[in-house]
Amino acid sequence: MSYDVIVIGGGPAGMLAAGTAGSLGKKVLLIEKNEKLGKKLFITGKGRCNITNSADMEEFMKNIPKNSKFLYSAFRSFSNNDLVDMLNNLGLPTKIERGGRVFPESDKSSDVIKTLEKYMRKGNVEIRLNSSVDKIEAENNQVIGVKLNAGEIIECSSVVICTGGLSYPQTGSTGDGYKMAVELGHSIQDTAPSLVPLLVSNEFIKDLQGLSLKNVSVKLIAENNVLYEDFGEMLFTHFGLSGPIILSSSFFAAEPLKKNKKVTLSIDLKPALSEDELDRRLIKDFEKYTNKQFKNSLDELLPKKLIPVIITLSNIDQNKEVHQITREERKSFVKLLKALQFDITGTRPVSEAIVTSGGVSLKEISPKTMESKLIQGLYFAGEVLDLDAFTGGFNLQIAFSTGYTAGINA
C-alpha cells in the first residue's frame, strides 16, 4: 500500500494538513500514536478551545515575538478569517470574546475536533490510531516512505511532520518529530518552555495560593530593564505566578534567567489610578474608617486573601488605628500597591508549558511551502517548528496556517 502523503501527528496542524491534501484529491494517510485525535487540542482554553484570534495581521505579528516574518506566506495562504470561514462552513459556529479570542459557540473543544475530523472525511483521509512512526525513509535526499515502530514500511512521496513539541507529554508531545528531523540532517534550535508559570522565591506566596486577580498590570524587569508589560488576569499558585499575563511574560524571562540575571515581576494592583489618585482614595477610605484598626480598613480596596500579606509588607502595625497612620506611611503604602515585587527564580518545566519554544530550524524550511530545503517531499507544520506566540489563539493559528500550507504543497 502506498500513499501520496503521510501526515505524522493528529493535532491541529496534522488534521488540517491531511484534510487539505485530501481535498486536492491526494491519497492521504494520517498516523497518530494516541488512541484518539486532538488530545492536546481537547484541553486548550480550559477545554473550550481558543481556536484563533480576530486581530488584524499587524496585531497578529506583534503577538509572535520571534520568527514572525517566516509566517507571512502561511498567513496569506490561510488567515484567521479563512479558518473561521472554513469551520463555519463545516457547521461549527464561532464567537469572539474579550481580546479578540475566538471560541466555538458551544464552548466545547470536542466540537472543534469533530469538525476537523469531518474535514478529513470529506477528503477521504485514512486515519491510523495507536500507531507510531519509528523513522522516515529517504533515498537520494527524497522521501520514499515511513517505518512504523511495529516494523511495517509504508511507501509515500511526501511526509508532513506535525508531532508537536515537548509540552504536555501526556497528550503525546514527546519530541518525536525532532528525532526524525535530526536523522534527516535537520538542526534543532534549543527547546525551552514557553507560556509557562513562573517560580518565585518570596515566602509569602504560599499565603496567596489560589487568589486570582483581574485588571492588574505587570512589568517584568531584568537588571533595571523592563522586558515586558501587560494588563489583564493572573493567578497565585503554591510555587509562584500563573494566568494569562504571566504566561506571556515567561517568554521574556527565559533568556535572562538562563544567564543568571536578577529577574523581578512588579504588579500594579491599581493600574487605573495614578499614585496621587490612589493616595486620595486611601485618604477617603481612612476617613471613613478613622477609628478602625489598619487591618480592618482595607476590605473595599483589596481582596481578603491579599490584605494580611500587604499589611506585613507595608511594615505598618496591623493594630494601629487608621487616624494614627502617618503621611509617610500612607505614601509608602501607595507605592507598595503600585509595585508589588516578586523575585523570579525560574519557570515550571517544559512538560507544564502550553507550548515549546525552539524546534526545527526555520533556515532549513521554505516559508512558502513548509517543505524541507534538505529533503524533497519532507514538510513540517505546527509546534515542531521554531515558532511560538503569546496566549490568545495565536499559537493555534500558527498550527492551522502552517498545516494548511504544508497540505496544499505536499
Side-chain angles (χ1 to χ4, degrees):
M1 180 74 77
S2 72
Y3 295 85
D4 297 318
V5 182
I6 291 179
V7 177
I8 307 170
M15 288 190 278
L16 212 74
T20 301
S23 72
L24 298 172
K26 291 172 183 173
K27 189 177 181 185
V28 183
L29 171 66
L30 183 143
I31 300 172
E32 167 55 52
K33 69 178 182 181
N34 287 313
E35 75 287 355
K36 59 185 177 183
L37 298 168
K39 250 189 148 176
K40 187 176 174 186
L41 193 62
F42 183 71
I43 61 172
T44 59
K46 296 176 182 170
R48 295 174 61 220
C49 192
N50 180 187
I51 306 162
T52 185
N53 196 287
S54 63
D56 61 28
M57 203 41 61
E58 189 183 344
E59 191 60 30
F60 231 94
M61 290 307 186
K62 284 180 189 170
N63 280 276
I64 304 168
K66 184 180 73 169
N67 298 328
S68 58
K69 286 180 182 171
F70 178 86
L71 288 162
Y72 275 121
S73 290
F75 284 162
R76 269 200 297 270
S77 294
F78 193 70
S79 69
N80 49 352
N81 296 325
D82 294 328
L83 173 65
V84 169
D85 288 346
M86 186 193 92
L87 295 172
N88 292 168
N89 291 335
L90 286 164
L92 182 78
T94 53
K95 60 181 176 178
I96 300 172
E97 295 190 2
R98 186 181 54 78
R101 290 167 165 82
V102 179
F103 290 90
E105 227 169 60
S106 64
D107 283 331
K108 290 180 182 173
S109 55
S110 55
D111 288 344
V112 179
I113 296 166
K114 283 175 195 163
T115 305
L116 293 170
E117 287 176 343
K118 183 179 178 181
Y119 181 55
M120 289 193 292
R121 277 198 306 276
K122 283 181 76 174
N124 298 311
V125 174
E126 190 181 323
I127 298 165
R128 277 207 205 186
L129 301 174
N130 298 304
S131 295
S132 292
V133 173
D134 179 48
K135 65 179 290 196
I136 294 164
E137 302 284 345
E139 272 180 16
N140 302 318
N141 298 324
Q142 162 76 53
V143 164
I144 58 167
V146 302
K147 182 185 176 188
L148 302 185
N149 278 357
E152 181 187 358
I153 292 176
I154 307 171
E155 293 178 2
C156 65
S157 34
S158 293
V159 168
V160 188
I161 297 180
C162 305
T163 50
L166 293 167
S167 54
Y168 293 115
Q170 68 274 21
T171 65
S173 299
T174 51
D176 303 355
Y178 304 145
K179 173 179 159 282
M180 294 174 206
V182 167
E183 284 173 351
L184 292 169
H186 279 277
S187 48
I188 308 298
Q189 298 301 308
D190 286 352
T191 55
S194 190
L195 299 185
V196 66
L198 298 175
L199 304 174
V200 306
S201 59
N202 309 68
E203 275 295 309
F204 59 81
I205 196 74
K206 57 183 180 294
D207 298 323
L208 297 174
Q209 182 181 348
L211 174 64
S212 177
L213 297 179
K214 291 183 179 179
N215 303 321
V216 295
S217 66
V218 298
K219 280 182 187 175
L220 187 81
I221 302 158
E223 297 183 348
N224 298 320
N225 293 318
V226 176
L227 305 180
Y228 180 76
E229 295 183 65
D230 204 356
F231 172 87
E233 293 178 39
M234 61 166 293
L235 172 72
F236 294 99
T237 69
H238 65 288
F239 55 75
L241 309 170
S242 190
I245 57 177
I246 301 298
L247 296 176
S248 290
S249 77
S250 67
F251 173 87
F252 297 93
E255 197 59 33
L257 285 170
K258 203 189 292 180
K259 293 176 179 174
N260 293 317
K261 289 185 177 179
K262 180 177 168 58
V263 180
T264 57
L265 188 108
S266 175
I267 303 171
D268 184 345
L269 296 167
K270 298 292 173 184
L273 302 175
S274 67
E275 282 194 15
D276 286 344
E277 288 168 335
L278 182 54
D279 190 38
R280 286 197 290 274
R281 160 81 194 269
L282 268 181
I283 290 168
K284 200 182 287 184
D285 283 2
F286 285 179
E287 283 170 355
K288 186 175 179 181
Y289 299 114
T290 186
N291 293 316
K292 283 199 169 188
Q293 293 175 314
F294 183 44
K295 65 183 178 186
N296 297 322
S297 68
L298 301 171
D299 288 352
E300 289 180 28
L301 188 70
L302 297 168
K304 206 169 190 62
K305 205 166 195 175
L306 190 55
I307 292 172
V309 170
I310 287 287
I311 288 174
T312 303
L313 294 172
S314 75
N315 293 318
I316 301 171
D317 182 354
Q318 64 170 352
N319 297 315
K320 195 171 193 175
E321 289 188 358
V322 167
H323 67 268
Q324 293 180 321
I325 291 173
T326 67
R327 181 177 181 276
E328 286 70 27
E329 284 175 325
R330 194 186 69 242
K331 291 279 189 185
S332 173
F333 188 62
V334 165
K335 287 192 184 301
L336 175 64
L337 296 177
K338 295 292 286 178
L340 179 59
Q341 300 283 335
F342 290 86
D343 297 316
I344 309 301
T345 57
T347 67
R348 294 295 281 180
V350 69
S351 59
E352 293 179 33
I354 292 178
V355 293
T356 308
S357 178
V360 176
S361 173
L362 302 182
K363 291 175 184 171
E364 301 159 1
I365 312 291
S366 164
K368 289 184 177 173
T369 62
M370 297 297 137
E371 186 175 17
S372 163
K373 292 177 181 177
L374 312 179
I375 304 289
Q376 204 176 331
L378 179 65
Y379 297 79
F380 295 88
E383 200 183 335
V384 72
L385 292 165
D386 183 19
L387 292 165
D388 61 287
F390 297 144
T391 56
F394 303 102
N395 284 292
L396 270 182
Q397 184 63 49
I398 290 173
F400 287 127
S401 292
T402 55
Y404 178 88
T405 303
I408 55 171
N409 289 290

